[in-house]
Amino acid sequence: MTQTKKIPCEIISVREGKTWNNVIVKQRSTGKQLFFGKVKKDMDIAVGAAAYMEVEAMASEFPETPLRVTLYDESGTKIDWVIIQPTMFDVR
């Protein structure tokens, strides 16, 4: 993986699932939202909390390089990660 970028965001939804919690964050600069579906139930996460996403371009043979987006709380604790296509989320 190459080229890491940190993006500030805010947690706007925390929903309890059967095995995991589901978290939706909103990118502060654009207002776009991203879903993280495998957040451990024992994590102390609240709506309105500040967080950040670390975005890395993955090595790929595809024309559109996938991105690995990792969500962290303010103290740097990893919450969850997801792989997306760049057209799904503005990382500027």
Side-chain angles (χ1 to χ4, degrees):
M1 292 186 202
T2 60
Q3 194 175 349
T4 303
K5 182 171 186 171
K6 290 185 180 182
I7 300 171
C9 62
E10 177 183 351
I11 295 173
I12 60 169
S13 175
V14 179
R15 301 276 187 235
E16 188 171 331
K18 289 184 179 185
T19 308
W20 308 94
N21 285 340
N22 303 310
V23 173
I24 299 174
V25 300
K26 181 170 73 172
Q27 186 177 351
R28 288 189 178 158
S29 62
T30 66
K32 289 197 176 187
Q33 300 177 7
L34 191 59
F35 173 82
F36 292 87
K38 281 191 161 183
V39 177
K40 293 179 183 176
K41 289 188 172 272
D42 63 352
M43 296 200 79
D44 187 24
I45 300 169
V47 172
Y52 69 92
M53 295 176 286
E54 201 168 80
V55 179
E56 300 174 87
M58 301 176 67
S60 174
E61 295 177 7
F62 296 111
E64 189 174 40
T65 303
L67 302 173
R68 179 182 169 122
V69 182
T70 307
L71 180 63
Y72 295 91
D73 66 12
E74 278 188 307
S75 64
T77 302
K78 182 178 174 180
I79 298 172
D80 194 12
W81 63 274
V82 65
I83 295 175
I84 64 171
Q85 292 300 319
T87 55
M88 293 175 60
F89 198 68
D90 185 9
V91 295
R92 286 181 264 164

